[in-house]
Amino acid sequence: MSEGTMQLRAQRDQRDPQAKRAKRLTRVLVGAAAVPVMLVAAGCSSDSGSEDGKDKAAEESAASKSASPSPTVKAAAYGKLPQPCSVVTKKTLDDLVPKGDSGKEGSSNDTTTRASCSWDSLDDNGVKGSQFRWLSVSMLRFESDVTRGEGEKLAHAYYLKQLKDAQAAEGAKSLKTTPVSRTGNEASVVSYDLKKKEGTFKQQTVVTRAENVVVTVDFNGAGLAGDKTPDADDLVKDAQKAAKEAVAAVMKANDTSADAKPSGTPSGTPAPSGSSSKAPSKDS
């Protein structure tokens, strides 16, 4: 081997380790540079999936809420009450409270919900005594409410309470409760005697429900200063007549035709029958 050849080989041998080290360094740097790129790509992919999942969950929740129906309740049939002192006709007032003054309206914070009126008369017969009469009509209307229920059901509960209160009158004698037909959706009359120092008072309380309105008619009479005691059956008929007129007035105030149904029966509602129109009785 010539001297020149040996010199070239020595130079090549010196360059080869440097070249090999350079190649290895290049591969390391390239590999290191690729790692952040992969991490960034993986990070982007992970964040995107998380956001997509949140959005999808929010959409599903919103869809579920929109699909759930809001609580509803059947609207009440009647939205107002008539003027209380006009619910009984003048002719009926002349029969029930003859020589009576104009009605006295009861106090109320909202006459569309609660209203009442009362009349009284004293028919003086001189030495034969006198006849006393007192008539009262009260009305209570119930609105439908999602928390309390339908107005009609609330009115039914109050109807039963009014009957119970009438039957629990202190000092009542010969008490009886009788269903009343063709007056609202359900009606009953509670009759009893009350003995006072002025005489024996015959009390009649008619409670009736017309849809979401409860009408209570109180009517009593007495013969004073020696005059005869009025006939209870006559007073019952008079009280029922006043109750029918009051129910018709409620219907008229709400633009419901009273001609399409029997007297005192709300339009669109059958006359009461069966157990729903019967009230608990209490005789003593």
Side-chain angles (χ1 to χ4, degrees):
M1 182 180 297
S2 65
E3 182 178 353
T5 301
M6 294 177 62
Q7 185 176 3
L8 291 174
R9 183 174 181 179
Q11 290 176 351
R12 186 169 58 251
D13 291 341
Q14 290 177 356
R15 289 197 301 268
D16 285 347
Q18 293 178 355
K20 291 179 180 180
R21 285 196 300 272
K23 289 181 180 179
R24 285 199 298 271
L25 180 59
T26 300
R27 285 197 297 270
V28 171
L29 292 176
V30 170
V35 171
V37 173
M38 294 173 64
L39 292 177
V40 170
C44 291
S45 175
S46 176
D47 290 345
S48 177
S50 177
E51 291 299 326
D52 289 345
K54 291 180 181 180
D55 292 343
K56 185 176 181 181
E59 291 175 359
E60 290 177 351
S61 177
S64 176
K65 290 181 179 179
S66 63
S68 301
S70 300
T72 59
V73 64
K74 179 183 176 183
Y78 298 141
K80 58 183 177 180
L81 296 176
Q83 205 285 329
C85 292
S86 65
V87 297
V88 181
T89 64
K90 184 179 184 305
K91 183 180 183 304
T92 298
L93 289 174
D94 289 341
D95 291 339
L96 271 60
V97 282
K99 300 182 180 181
D101 295 331
S102 58
K104 180 180 179 181
E105 185 172 347
S107 60
S108 174
N109 294 330
D110 183 4
T111 55
T112 66
T113 300
R114 181 189 297 270
S116 63
C117 190
S118 62
W119 303 259
D120 62 76
S121 71
L122 186 63
D123 188 4
D124 191 352
N125 295 315
V127 295
K128 294 182 180 180
S130 59
Q131 288 289 323
F132 172 78
R133 298 289 187 275
W134 180 75
L135 173 67
S136 172
V137 178
S138 63
M139 299 170 289
L140 187 61
R141 185 180 64 83
F142 292 85
E143 286 281 8
S144 294
D145 185 88
V146 292
T147 58
R148 299 177 62 203
E150 296 179 4
E152 183 176 348
K153 292 181 179 180
L154 296 173
H156 172 69
Y158 183 72
Y159 163 80
L160 296 178
K161 179 181 181 300
Q162 286 291 85
L163 283 180
K164 186 177 180 180
D165 290 347
Q167 292 169 339
E170 185 177 356
K173 301 295 182 182
S174 303
L175 188 148
K176 63 180 180 179
T177 302
T178 308
V180 177
S181 63
R182 301 170 69 87
T183 305
N185 299 93
E186 52 189 340
S188 295
V189 56
V190 180
S191 305
Y192 54 85
D193 296 344
L194 283 176
K195 293 187 179 296
K196 299 183 179 182
K197 62 180 181 178
E198 298 89 350
T200 299
F201 286 74
K202 297 287 185 177
Q203 172 69 36
Q204 324 300 322
T205 300
V206 180
V207 184
T208 179
R209 178 182 66 82
E211 302 291 356
N212 59 308
V213 176
V214 175
V215 177
T216 303
V217 173
D218 287 300
F219 184 52
N220 65 45
L224 308 179
D227 205 345
K228 66 179 181 179
T229 300
D231 183 78
D233 291 338
D234 291 340
L235 295 182
V236 168
K237 292 177 182 177
D238 290 339
Q240 291 178 357
K241 183 178 181 181
K244 288 179 185 291
E245 291 185 2
V247 169
V250 172
M251 295 163 61
K252 185 177 180 180
N254 289 274
D255 297 326
T256 302
S257 175
D259 297 331
K261 288 289 177 181
S263 175
T265 302
S267 176
T269 304
S273 62
S275 60
S276 63
S277 63
K278 294 182 179 180
S281 60
K282 177 181 177 183
D283 298 328
S284 60

